[in-house]
Amino acid sequence: MSGGHRVLIAAELRNLLAPAQLEGLDVTWIAADQPTPKGDWVAIVPLLSRWVGGTELKNLPRLRIVANCAVGYDNVDAVAAEMRKVIVTNTPDVLTDATADLTWALILACARRLVEAVDLVRSGRWTGWHPEQLRGMELRGRTLGLFGAGRIGQAVGRRALPFGLRVVYTARSAKPAFERETGAVRVEWNRLLAESDIVSLHTPSTPETKGIVNSEALGRMKPGAILLNTARGDLIREEALAIALEEGRLGAAGLDVYLDEPVIHPRLRAAPRTVLLPHIGSATHETRRLMAAIALDNVRAVLNGSSPLTPVYR
Ligand code: NAP
C-alpha cells in the first residue's frame, strides 16, 4: 500500500507474510542480488546474507530499524547502527527448537554414518547384513560438549538426556538452572575439547569466537570425535577441519553453516565423513513464518513509537 511507512523487505520473505502483516507499510522488496538502495526508507528487514554496515546506514539516513530476519546478527554493524540511533532487532526463541532438532539430526547422522549408508543402498553395491558393516558411535555413556549454552545450546543439551549422554558446556557465564535440569558441568574450552566425544558449536560469531576451531583445537579433540556446527561458519577454520578429516583424526563433521556461503571450501566439500547441509537450521514451515512475523512486529512497534520486541541490545 502506498502512502504508508517506506520499508525495505527481503524479497524472499514475500510468501511468508500475509497482506495484513504489511498493512500501512509502503514496501519495496529487495532481491538477493540487488544492492541495498539509497533513499528515505525508515525500516529494513534483511536476511543474514545482506551486509548492513556503515555505508548502507549512511545511504539510508531516515532509517529507524534494522529488523534482521535471523537470531544471529553478524551481518549487521550493530555499533554503527547504535551510533546512528538505529535500532537492531533479531528473531530469538522461535527458531530454538527447530535449530536444536536439526543439530540432533546431524549428531545422529554423524554417529550412525547415515550418508555412507544411504549412498551404499543407492549405489546398488549393498550385499546384505554384515556384522562389521558401517559401525558407528554408540551414544549412551558418551560426553556431549556444548560451546555456547544459550537458547539453542541448552535446547540441544536437554535433548541429550534420553540418549544417555553426559553434558559439559563452555559459556561466558554459568547456567545454574540448566545444570540442575541436565546435570551439565561448565568447563573451560580446552577441557571441553579433551573430554567430549561430540563437540557442538552454539555461540554467535564474534571477534572472540571466530576461528576458535583451528588446527590446535582440532588437535585437542579426542580421536574419532564428532564436530557439529549449526551456529556460524566462521567459527571453524575450514581447511584445518578438512585436513583433520582427511587424516582420519576426527570421526565425522556435521555442518549446516560455512565461512563463505554458499561457497564451501573445496577441500572440505571433498573431505570424508562429513554431513554437509545448506544452512537449514531454522527451516521448518512454522519457524520461518514466525521469524518473518517477529521481524515485521519489530518494524511496526518501532515505527509506532513503541519499544521493539526483541532488540539485540537491551
Ligand atoms: P544465545 O541464546 O545468545 O546463546 C549464545 C551463547 O553463546 C551463550 O551461552 C553465550 O554465553 C555464548 N557465548 C558467546 N560468546 C562466547 C564466548 N566468547 N565464549 C563462550 N561462550 C560464548 O544465542 P542462540 O539463540 O542460542 O543462537 C546461537 C547462534 O546460533 C546464533 O548466534 C546464530 O549465529 C546461530 N543460529 C544458526 C541457525 C542456523 O540456521 N544454523 C539458526 C539459529 C541460530 P553467555 O550466555 O554466558 O553470554
Side-chain angles (χ1 to χ4, degrees):
M1 173 187 145
S2 60
H5 297 290
R6 295 198 72 208
V7 172
L8 287 165
I9 305 181
E12 294 90 334
L13 297 175
R14 199 190 275 260
N15 294 334
L16 299 180
L17 290 163
Q21 290 173 292
L22 303 172
E23 218 166 278
L25 303 178
D26 176 3
V27 177
T28 306
W29 300 98
I30 15 172
D33 58 356
Q34 195 186 331
T36 305
K38 282 186 190 187
D40 60 358
W41 287 275
V42 290
I44 181 169
V45 182
L47 305 183
L48 48 78
S49 44
R50 181 173 298 274
W51 171 247
V52 183
T55 307
E56 291 71 20
L57 294 165
K58 196 168 140 222
N59 288 340
L60 296 168
R62 296 195 53 208
L63 199 69
R64 291 165 63 189
I65 173 169
V66 180
N68 211 37
C69 193
V71 68
Y73 52 93
D74 43 301
N75 60 305
V76 182
D77 186 338
V79 175
E82 198 173 24
M83 278 163 55
R84 290 182 163 270
K85 303 209 179 337
V86 174
I87 290 168
V88 180
T89 61
N90 62 351
T91 63
D93 301 312
V94 291
L95 42 58
T96 297
D97 282 333
T99 310
D101 288 349
L102 189 89
T103 306
W104 269 94
L106 280 175
I107 292 174
L108 291 167
C110 287
R112 301 303 300 274
R113 303 173 62 179
L114 286 205
V115 171
E116 287 166 87
V118 170
D119 285 350
L120 179 63
V121 171
R122 285 230 172 105
S123 74
R125 286 185 284 101
W126 183 42
T127 53
W129 195 90
H130 189 288
E132 288 184 47
Q133 191 173 55
L134 285 168
R135 287 173 298 166
M137 181 192 280
E138 182 89 27
L139 293 183
R140 192 158 296 279
R142 302 276 184 168
T143 298
L144 169 66
L146 303 168
F147 179 64
R151 292 168 291 244
I152 297 169
Q154 291 190 28
V156 170
R158 283 194 293 272
R159 284 158 173 71
L161 294 189
F163 287 99
L165 287 154
R166 167 183 173 254
V167 179
V168 296
Y169 72 98
T170 300
R172 292 174 301 189
S173 56
K175 314 289 173 202
F178 176 58
E179 292 180 11
R180 275 194 302 277
E181 194 184 343
T182 60
V185 176
R186 183 170 172 226
V187 295
E188 292 299 321
W189 171 233
N190 284 341
R191 190 171 147 205
L192 180 129
L193 291 169
E195 286 188 8
S196 300
D197 301 288
I198 301 167
V199 173
S200 193
L201 308 179
H202 300 289
T203 66
S205 164
T206 67
E208 294 78 42
T209 62
K210 267 185 197 161
I212 190 142
V213 181
N214 52 19
S215 52
E216 193 206 327
L218 290 162
R220 289 179 191 272
M221 286 175 67
K222 282 186 177 179
I226 294 171
L227 175 68
L228 286 314
N229 189 8
T230 57
R232 281 291 179 267
D234 58 8
L235 302 191
I236 295 180
R237 295 262 182 255
E238 292 179 340
E239 182 147 11
L241 173 58
I243 293 168
L245 289 161
E246 286 164 9
E247 292 177 352
R249 288 187 276 120
L250 278 196
L255 310 176
D256 186 43
V257 287
Y258 309 89
L259 176 67
D260 186 22
E261 296 176 10
V263 177
I264 299 180
H265 192 295
R267 205 160 164 183
L268 183 59
R269 195 150 46 86
R273 290 180 297 280
T274 59
V275 182
L276 304 181
L277 301 182
H279 203 149
I280 55 168
S282 61
T284 67
H285 293 291
E286 296 82 354
T287 290
R288 286 287 164 85
R289 281 192 191 283
L290 286 167
M291 288 165 68
I294 290 186
L296 263 293
D297 287 348
N298 276 308
V299 167
R300 208 173 285 286
V302 169
L303 298 184
N304 289 340
S306 313
S307 299
L309 283 72
T310 53
V312 302
Y313 293 139
R314 285 191 188 271

